[in-house]
Amino acid sequence: MDINNQIESPFVIKVSFNKLLEQYEELLDSDNSAVKANAEQVLKIARENPMLRDGFSDLTVFQEQQENISVILRDTFNPLLTHNEIKVAVVPFYDYVFNSSERFKSILKTAGEDFKLEVMNMPEEQIYIMACTIILKACCGYNINFKRPFLYEIPDTEGIIRYYKILYNVDFMEIIPRENAPKITKEDYDELLDNFDNIDLWREKFPPNTYDFKGFVISNIFDVTDDQSISNIKSSLIGEDKRNDENFIHGFYEVFRSLFGLKNIEVGFSIYNEEEKSFEKVYGVGINSFLLNNNEKVACKDALCRWSHGKLLNDKNFFSISNVDSMYEKSNGKAPHIKSLYDQGFKSAIFAPIANENQIMGILEIVSREPEVLNSINANKLIDVMPFIVSAVERSKNEEETLIEAIIQKECTSIHPSVHWRFEKEAREYIKDEWNGNEPQFKKIAFDNVYPLYGQIDIKGSSEARNSATRQDLTLQLNAVKSILEEASNLERLPIYNQYIYQVNNYLNGLENAFQVDSEHQISAFFKEDIDSVLSHLKTLRPIASKVEEYYNTINDDLNVLYHHRKDYDETIANINREMASLLDQKQVEAQAMYPHYFERFKTDGVEHNMYIGESITKEESFNPIYLYNLRLWQLQVMVEMENAYYQMQSQFPVHLDVASMILVFNQPLSISFRMDEKQFDVDGTYNARYEIVKKRVDKAFIKGTNERVTQKGKISIVYSQKEDEREYLRYVRFLQDKKYLDNDVEIVELQDLQAVTGLKAIRVSVLYHKDKDDKAFYTYDDLMKEIKS
């Protein structure tokens, strides 16, 4: 029976031991006579049976060559470990096991004759795609990572599902394109990246039987039942409410059965009502409480004895009853929880409080109709799973109270308190429609006649700083590699070292003179695809091994690159954004207390914020233009304070970066609506869209007739289009000048026309700074820099 007739694959599969035999050929030079003799024996078998090296696809060969294959694989499948290790040799993509350890055979025998071994989380159509990703990496040079934890589900003697993790060793395979294999271009690769589920596309790029596969795969298998059971419990409890899912509780029981390794156990829950000091039934399909024994509610004093009450509710600790019958006799049937178990025919049990630091929320009940199988020893397995159960019950306990919030979060996003009332109103209508059997629909959220305010504190030259940090890191790493290669060239006179040194010099020259957008990617690929393998070899040369080790000590393990200057840059940007956003959030609390308005902020290379104020947002007929003017003045003042705060903390950041602040003034009210697809507010209407256009482009605008940007370090820029806005903001500027927030160098400039936007102007004025919070002196930007550096 030919393997290739049984499966559809881009491969023509031949089982071959060539790669393994090549390793035995290397052992012929061994100084160990036993090792050498064993290698000679294996290679003798290979010479006498050339198909073992050349490859075969007929499964009957395994039977004919069974003894020879066992000898060839004897070292790989150590007979001393065969009763301990779980290991198999398989034909890939077909899962035909042709050699296995005794432990694996025993596991399969226990599972029963009808059991079919299958990878549990690998859909059949994905097997073809996985084969294609292997080709992309092996033959096309694209490092696609398709690694996922693959598992077998295999029942034990009790019928309990045990989980086994599979790790594939692919050292013994070769992949060779056939003449009819289509060439894979970069465009093909890019298309495949976004079409994982399009099996037809993968078949088009990698038609069946267009690549030769020679070799075999060894699977090392590990029992991960406990870990997987905990993971399954966590997964079961995450997500939407599952109490009405008939299959959920059954599946939940199965997970606990795997965790405890016990077939005949059941799981129950009861809710603790703190106000009434009682336990209550949890409503849901198939959910029972063995403590309540079919009662809807039982007072705690009537459900537990004094000792168990203290253990569960006071100490927040679990306890077990390993023999219910024995405890029933000892208590003369007077212990309520023992009597309840006894009456229902349970013989052993574990009770555990579902509790956080603040409160008891319920009781987890695990019961069995067999004595002693549940006890104080295996009760400790709950320690690892209780946090997930507690988390799930916390959500469930608050479910009714937070139903409205859940719908808002599902349909929208995190909603600012100023407009929350409007979303709540629609959520109530949504629930009402659902209860009445109508098709619920979350209606459009819009606010008319609101005034926008926009501001940003932007990091100047962030792109240049990032490029500079990248250049420095790459230069350091290239020079380190160059030094190692030069030393290696002196140790081993191999021309390849000189070729790599030539490449390094080319990259260094490029970084110095022509840093491109893709330079970082190219050099990183060079390190990964070329240099890593060279250094792996050089680690074996004693005179240079320490230098290679020193090099790797400078490399970031997560990113696999030298990440020093870039780390400083990234930390600086993160710190600036965090500090500026935190200050803005604190100041917003004050502004909301003056008059409610909508506020949102965004972290980019700096911090931007939007504000909208108007009667439709406040829900009350209290809006007056004075609140708008007040908010505009507040915004200008806070922007100056943020500038000061930034420069006072600038010395704490790893990288010296400047910031520039800007405010955009729009004097006409507009309408905003919530975009369900983007989960944010946006302006409504063509005319209002002009505001968004200006907002996105104005900070890059030039002063008319110059190459000077409107935003400058040390200055705050107020962009506007109407004369009345100019007059209004000049009043604010004069006020802040009097308070020593701003300098006296006010200038009014015209801006170069933007696309579809003309007639913009800007007031620019220098900010006055303090060296620190206690400093009473005032400095311009240039003065401040001199003071800081002096």
Side-chain angles (χ1 to χ4, degrees), residues 444-668:
K444 180 179 178 180
I445 304 289
F447 297 96
D448 298 325
N449 294 315
V450 295
Y451 291 88
L453 296 91
Y454 172 77
Q456 67 173 40
I457 182 164
D458 187 43
I459 300 170
K460 302 294 288 183
S462 57
S463 297
E464 293 82 355
R466 207 307 177 160
N467 288 342
S468 175
T470 302
R471 273 200 305 270
Q472 291 178 75
D473 279 348
L474 293 177
T475 300
L476 286 172
Q477 191 171 354
L478 285 167
N479 280 322
V481 167
K482 180 180 176 181
S483 176
I484 293 171
L485 291 172
E486 288 173 343
E487 193 168 329
S489 180
N490 293 329
L491 289 173
E492 295 182 310
R493 300 290 180 178
L494 301 180
I496 190 65
Y497 294 140
N498 293 323
Q499 192 270 327
Y500 284 134
I501 292 170
Y502 167 77
Q503 280 185 265
V504 169
N505 285 330
N506 273 350
Y507 284 130
L508 285 169
N509 184 60
L511 290 175
E512 181 74 23
N513 302 309
F515 186 76
Q516 302 292 327
V517 175
D518 63 341
S519 296
E520 181 179 4
H521 173 74
Q522 289 180 2
I523 296 172
S524 296
F526 171 64
F527 288 136
K528 188 172 186 179
E529 296 169 10
D530 296 330
I531 296 302
D532 279 356
S533 60
V534 175
L535 296 182
S536 179
H537 162 66
L538 294 178
K539 278 198 296 188
T540 64
L541 303 181
R542 184 170 296 176
I544 203 172
S546 61
K547 197 165 186 177
V548 175
E549 186 66 28
E550 184 180 338
Y551 164 82
Y552 275 115
N553 287 338
T554 68
I555 301 303
N556 182 280
D557 293 335
D558 296 327
L559 303 175
N560 203 30
V561 293
L562 193 148
Y563 182 59
H564 175 66
H565 293 93
R566 280 172 288 189
K567 182 172 183 288
D568 286 345
Y569 169 83
D570 290 340
E571 287 182 355
T572 298
I573 296 294
N575 287 337
I576 292 172
N577 285 344
R578 182 178 63 252
E579 296 294 341
M580 293 298 97
S582 175
L583 177 59
L584 187 57
D585 289 345
Q586 291 173 30
K587 294 293 183 181
Q588 250 293 298
V589 176
E590 303 170 9
Q592 291 292 340
M594 298 175 195
Y595 193 82
H597 57 278
Y598 179 79
F599 170 80
E600 61 183 355
R601 61 164 173 77
F602 309 96
K603 294 179 184 178
T604 52
D605 280 354
V607 177
E608 305 173 37
H609 66 270
N610 287 321
M611 294 185 290
Y612 298 101
I613 187 169
E615 191 169 289
S616 61
I617 287 177
T618 61
K619 195 175 63 171
E620 299 173 4
E621 296 180 2
S622 59
F623 179 73
N624 186 286
I626 194 173
Y627 295 118
L628 169 63
Y629 304 146
N630 181 73
L631 191 59
R632 285 175 172 175
L633 176 59
W634 172 89
Q635 181 190 36
L636 180 56
Q637 184 171 318
V638 167
M639 295 292 286
V640 175
E641 291 178 10
M642 289 173 69
E643 281 260 353
N644 258 283
Y646 171 72
Y647 282 107
Q648 287 168 13
M649 67 180 73
Q650 186 193 49
S651 60
Q652 303 169 20
F653 300 147
V655 178
H656 178 100
L657 293 171
D658 285 306
V659 295
S661 298
M662 185 203 73
I663 287 172
L664 175 62
V665 184
F666 197 78
N667 71 340
Q668 294 297 317

Side-chain angles (χ1 to χ4, degrees), residues 24 80 88 145 356 389 613 662 693 718 738 759:
Y24 277 107
L80 296 178
V88 297
N145 186 354
N356 57 25
I389 294 174
I613 187 169
M662 185 203 73
I693 294 171
I718 305 163
D738 185 67

